[in-house]
């Protein structure tokens, strides 16, 4: 009976275990998660008992390579051979700086500190007979100081620095004798330090030790002759780990109560195609790196089938007894992830044609699925900066943020049992094959000072804040706002241009058709017959394209539509006395039809594009905007448009996004004059009769300091905004001159490029606005610390970068940037009316279920609501960009397949927001808005010519009366018969 019970128990456990290749479902699972909601940043906290740690490795930081009886390690020898330029002889000199290291650890607020023991410092020749008491005392002191600071040690027995004597005499890890030698070393460490250590790592990253220490020769001991040697080395490493685990389990665990594992590192990989074959290659890639050691430990004591199939006899075999000895010898899954392996020590041959990625969350999910839900301790994670970087390391900080955020999602959303996270590393040190070319520390080490002074970097401050808050708790500003916009809020949609039809399509076909009413009702064209030409004047209703576009705009539910005129097409010769009357008539019809549909037209006179100037040909060939005559010509063109279209257009944009970084300061100066002349022309000649408003629209993506509580980054952000936005805004909305910060910076650079306003031009430009209009799409981070020359702007001395947790498409999606941009306008120009004249995101035009645009519009409009309701920004309107992919590819609310117009999901979502005038509080009484009268297109006649209007009404009444008299007289005459 007991035998049967034991069998049933075994079968139950076997069925509960993870199925082989269970991780294969990972890619499919993540491809089905809701996009982009799943990619959005998760504001939440980690479990209360979560382990926050930081780590180092002995050879990287200790130094003192020959001090107090320490023996040579393979790295001491390796760094003195070949073409290597530097050594870890001194490193960060942690051997003499326990106090400084512990102080840094305490400042971070971590609960655990991972460090490694230098085997050759304790046993100089690798065996117990060479025991060094002074070296052992160093680690006793370190552990004591940690415990006094309430920090628990996580101790690694072997982090790549094998005693050189063992390498020289035995061949290092290629010799099976090292299994027992390592076991004896582990026994000493458990006995000596074990009462104070609850987490042990036997061997760090055996993949790198085996493949690159004994295969490629990239790291110590630098052997690269035998292609099969790495697999024999890996075999010995696994058996050495298993021997140490069983030793601890039998003799030390009962009273020390610790846990032990092997630190396994891995990249992440994604399929280059969606086929099953690609997924299997991804699985095989992970098996060759992580599974090589993880499967024997966590599954069946043997290598992954993929490795065995591809390597055959090159891969050593385990006996049945060895499999049982290795299987199950890990109390938790110790996972390393980041710069030590990813994109550096994984060559293409191990990617099997797939694409490497940095997705820690997917890797955690794969480990969870593949190895039957083990507790996962991330024992190394982080990134790096260049070796010349000092205390400002925002790049490292944002990678840390990304990896920690992915670990949080893994816990909260994916249900992975992640028990701890270790930022790597505590301090800068010797970075293995990269030597001192990169830095990975949270603390900057000045290697040129005698005491190796440690200074916290921006990444240290960030990590400390995360630990204090136990993650990323949701703050009030992170929550969606509830409320509505004012009743007269302008809801709009923008387009760079509209579709123009130069010939009316209605009545344009002269063919004669026969209506087959007796059969299918089809029209049949009669060959050889044509109707006589019509001698009627074209009407606005004849333009099918106008009807179609106005219908599309109406379906969105907006009350405003913003589009641009084409100056070069309207006045091709540059002479407003000879305009393109056909095109002018079309624009007149378009704006009239918009008004009849109760949509207010907002018209831009000139839209800046980088591809072409859009200036009339004579100006385009005569120095463009640098021509002093161009502003006057623009003012004349503006008068033409005001005169011909002003009856229907009450909102004008003179220049749309002239503040492009490709525009020179001299060109910008003339554009400002052109805008001012056009504004004054309207103000003096048309405003009193037309009653409209005129301004310009500036491109205003937000610029955020990469490290918001560092003055060194706040100043560059202000500087970029001065040069990008203040350049045009300050002369018009402010002082009448360019921003002081802009002038002083250029003066500091001895630059004379920025023109000077004379008093006449200052008075001309200043105050030429009726509202402040911005186009906003995205947000950038800036820092003063140069990291990447490709994204560094030397003239402004700013490094552009992004937060790696942001959604990308292809520009970052950062909703709160809009709120900050609106507040910048308020802080600089007070209660000026503000319109968001264009706001949208680029998405694959083939995605008609455009979930990214749905997410984008909802969240950006919600941030606009916060700016209005919470910050007091005088926000008057919001325009989504754009109407259609046909005119603005990738940005449209409408898509198109051949000739068919497709309504995207974002359109109905935007219409729903408009219908509710925002995001009303659930259960609150509906907003009571007065009904606005429908536009009366003939009413301006009564206003401008009251006598004519009165006579028209009287005449109409007389005609109607005569008609009725004639009708009833004829009726009575018939009744007489």
């Amino acid at each position: 009976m007991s035998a049967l019970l034991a069998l049933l128990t075994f079968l139950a456990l076997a069925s509960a275990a993870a199925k082989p290749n269970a991780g294969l479902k990972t890619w499919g699972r993540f491809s089905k998660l809701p996009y982009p909601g799943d990619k959005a940043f998760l504001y939440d906290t980690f479990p209360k008992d979560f382990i926050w740690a930081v780590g180092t490795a002995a050879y990287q930081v200790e130094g003192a390579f020959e001090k107090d009886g320490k023996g040579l390690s393979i790295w001491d020898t390796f760094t003195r051979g070949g073409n290597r330029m530097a050594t870890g002889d001194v490193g960060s000199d942690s051997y003499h700086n326990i106090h400084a290291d512990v102080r840094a650890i305490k400042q971070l607020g971590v609960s655990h500190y991972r460090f490694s023991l230098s085997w050759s410092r304790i046993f100089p020749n690798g065996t117990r007979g060479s025991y060094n008491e002074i070296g052992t005392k160093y680690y006793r002191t370190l552990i004591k100081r940690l415990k006094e600071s309430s920090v628990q040690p996580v101790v690694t027995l072997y982090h790549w620095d094998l005693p050189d004597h063992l390498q020289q005499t035995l061949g290092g890890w290629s010799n099976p004798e090292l299994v027992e030698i390592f076991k004896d070393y582990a026994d000493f460490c458990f006995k000596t330090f074990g009462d104070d250590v609850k987490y042990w790592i036997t061997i760090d990253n055996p993949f790198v030790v085996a493949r690159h220490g004994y295969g490629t020769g990239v790291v110590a001991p630098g052997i690269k002759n035998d292609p099969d040697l790495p697999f024999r080395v890996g075999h010995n490493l696994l058996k050495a780990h298993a021997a140490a685990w069983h030793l601890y389990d039998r003799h030390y665990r009962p009273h020390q109560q610790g846990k032990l594992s092997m630190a396994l590192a891995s990249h992440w990989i994604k399929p280059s195609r969606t086929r099953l074959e690609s997924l299997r290659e991804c699985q095989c890639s992970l098996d060759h790196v992580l599974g090589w050691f993880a499967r024997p430990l966590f599954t069946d004591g043997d290598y992954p089938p993929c490795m065995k199939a591809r390597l055959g006899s090159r891969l050593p075999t385990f006996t049945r007894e060895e499999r049982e000895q290795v299987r199950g010898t890990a109390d938790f899954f110790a996972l390393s992830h980041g710069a030590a392996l990813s994109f550096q020590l994984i060559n293409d041959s191990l990617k099997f044609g797939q694409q490497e990625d940095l997705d820690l969350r997917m890797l955690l999910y794969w480990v969870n699925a593949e190895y039957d839900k083990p507790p996962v301790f991330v024992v190394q994670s982080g990134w790096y900066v260049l070796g010349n970087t000092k205390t400002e390391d925002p790049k490292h900080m944002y990678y840390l943020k990304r990896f920690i955020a992915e670990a949080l999602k893994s816990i909260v959303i994916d249900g992975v049992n992640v028990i701890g996270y270790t930022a790597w590393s505590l301090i800068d040190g010797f970075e293995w094959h990269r030597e001192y070319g990169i830095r990975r520390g949270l603390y900057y080490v000045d290697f040129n000072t005698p005491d190796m002074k440690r200074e916290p970097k921006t990444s240290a401050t960030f990590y400390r804040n995360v630990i204090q808050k136990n993650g990323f708790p949701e703050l009030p500003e992170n929550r969606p706002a509830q409320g509505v916009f004012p009743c007269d809020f302008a809801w709009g949609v923008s387009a760079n241009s509209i579709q123009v039809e130069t010939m009316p399509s209605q009545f344009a076909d002269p063919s004669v058709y026969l209506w087959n009413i007796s059969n299918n009702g089809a029209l049949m064209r009669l060959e050889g017959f044509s109707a006589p030409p019509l001698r009627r004047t074209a009407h606005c209703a004849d333009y099918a394209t106008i009807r179609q576009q106005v219908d599309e705009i109406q379906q969105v539910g907006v009350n405003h539509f913003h589009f641009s005129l084409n100056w070069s097409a309207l006045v091709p010769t540059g002479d407003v006395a000879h305009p393109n009357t056909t095109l002018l008539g079309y624009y007149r019809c378009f704006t009239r039809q918009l008004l009849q549909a109760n949509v207010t037209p907002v018209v831009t006179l000139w839209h800046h594009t980088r591809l072409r100037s859009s200036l009339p040909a004579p100006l385009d060939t005569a120095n463009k905007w640098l021509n002093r005559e161009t502003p006057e010509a623009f003012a004349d063109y503006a008068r033409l448009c005001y005169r011909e279209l002003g009856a229907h257009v009450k909102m004008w944009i003179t220049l749309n996004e002239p503040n492009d970084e490709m525009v020179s300061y001299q060109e910008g100066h003339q554009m400002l004059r052109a805008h001012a002349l056009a504004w004054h022309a309207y103000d003096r000649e048309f405003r009193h009769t037309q009653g409209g408003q005129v301004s310009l629209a500036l491109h205003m993506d937000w610029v955020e300091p990469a490290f918001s509580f560092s003055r060194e980054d706040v100043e560059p952000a202000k500087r970029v905004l001065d040069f990008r936005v203040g350049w045009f805004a300050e002369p018009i909305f402010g002082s009448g001159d360019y921003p002081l910060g802009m002038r002083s910076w250029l003066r500091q650079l001895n630059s004379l490029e920025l023109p000077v306003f004379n008093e006449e031009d200052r008075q001309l430009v200043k105050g030429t606005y009726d509202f402040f209009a911005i186009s906003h799409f995205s947000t950038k981070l800036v820092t003063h610390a140069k990291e990447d020359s490709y994204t560094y702007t030397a003239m402004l001395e700013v490094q552009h970068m992004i937060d790696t947790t942001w959604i990308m498409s292809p520009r970052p999606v950062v909703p709160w940037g809009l709120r900050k941009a609106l507040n910048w306008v308020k802080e600089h120009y007070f209660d000026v009316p503000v319109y968001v004249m264009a706001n949208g995101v680029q998405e694959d035009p083939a995605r008609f279920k455009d979930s990214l645009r749905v997410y984008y519009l909802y969240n950006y409009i919600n941030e606009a609501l916060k700016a209005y309701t919470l910050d007091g920004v005088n926000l008057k309107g919001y325009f989504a960009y754009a109407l259609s992919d046909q005119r603005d590819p990738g940005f449209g609310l409408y898509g198109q397949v051949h000739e068919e117009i497709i309504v995207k999901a974002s359109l109905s979502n935007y219409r729903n927001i408009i219908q509710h005038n925002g995001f009303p509080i659930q259960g609150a009484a509906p907003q009571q808005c007065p009904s606005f009268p429908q536009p009366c297109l003939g009413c301006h006649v009564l206003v401008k010519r009251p006598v004519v209007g009165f006579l028209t009404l009287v005449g109409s009444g007389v005609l109607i009366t005569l008609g009725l008299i004639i009708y009833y007289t004829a009726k009575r005459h018939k009744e007489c018969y």
Side-chain angles (χ1 to χ4, degrees), residues 69 119-133:
W119 189 344
S120 59
R121 194 179 295 283
I122 296 173
F123 295 167
N125 71 6
T127 59
R128 196 183 286 257
S130 63
Y131 170 64
N132 176 25
E133 172 58 29

Side-chain angles (χ1 to χ4, degrees), residues 567-635:
W567 183 7
S568 60
L570 270 173
V571 191
T573 65
D575 184 359
V576 294
H578 301 92
N580 182 336
T581 54
T582 303
L583 183 57
L584 201 55
Y586 184 87
Y587 282 136
R588 190 184 300 112
C589 282
F590 187 81
T591 54
R592 178 186 175 88
Q593 295 298 107
L594 281 174
L595 275 180
Q596 285 185 339
N598 206 27
V599 175
T600 300
V602 181
V603 176
T604 286
L605 296 175
W606 180 78
H607 184 93
H608 172 72
T609 61
R610 293 186 177 183
L611 299 178
R612 58 186 184 277
S613 72
S614 299
L615 300 180
L619 295 174
D620 188 59
T621 56
N623 237 3
K624 300 181 174 63
W625 281 105
L626 293 176
N627 188 334
R628 292 282 299 180
E629 296 179 3
T630 301
E632 293 289 350
F634 180 76

Side-chain angles (χ1 to χ4, degrees), residues 98-153:
I98 287 179
H99 177 72
D101 286 351
V102 172
R103 183 174 65 243
I105 292 165
K106 288 175 64 177
Q107 286 176 351
L108 287 175
V110 294
S111 59
H112 290 66
Y113 175 52
R114 182 189 169 198
F115 65 95
S116 72
L117 306 174
S118 172
W119 189 344
S120 59
R121 194 179 295 283
I122 296 173
F123 295 167
N125 71 6
T127 59
R128 196 183 286 257
S130 63
Y131 170 64
N132 176 25
E133 172 58 29
I134 301 177
T136 305
K137 184 180 177 182
Y138 165 71
Y139 295 113
R140 283 200 188 100
T141 304
L142 175 58
I143 291 172
K144 181 182 178 183
R145 294 286 182 268
L146 291 171
K147 300 287 280 189
E148 288 172 352
S149 302
S150 301
V151 176
Q152 299 301 317

Side-chain angles (χ1 to χ4, degrees), residues 196-258:
D196 293 314
V197 178
K198 302 305 176 190
Y199 282 96
W200 291 96
I201 303 293
T202 55
I203 297 166
D204 181 86
N205 204 337
F207 171 84
V208 169
V209 175
R211 182 175 179 84
H212 295 294
Y214 293 84
T216 65
V218 171
V219 301
I223 296 171
K224 52 184 176 182
N225 297 322
D226 183 353
D228 296 340
L229 182 58
F231 305 113
R232 297 197 297 274
V233 168
H235 205 67
N236 292 333
L237 289 168
L238 277 165
K239 291 198 285 187
H241 158 80
W245 187 91
H246 284 290
L247 170 72
Y248 187 83
D249 193 53
R250 290 171 189 148
H251 299 290
Y252 296 99
R253 193 192 304 275
H255 63 276
Q256 291 183 357
Q257 297 294 304

Side-chain angles (χ1 to χ4, degrees), residues 790-812:
Y790 182 72
T791 54
Y792 185 76
T793 304
M795 193 271 281
L796 296 179
E797 294 183 11
V798 293
Q799 177 72 61
H800 294 272
M801 58 184 299
I802 62 167
D803 182 337
T804 53
T805 65
W806 288 345
I807 299 168
M808 300 294 294
S809 178
R811 290 183 284 192

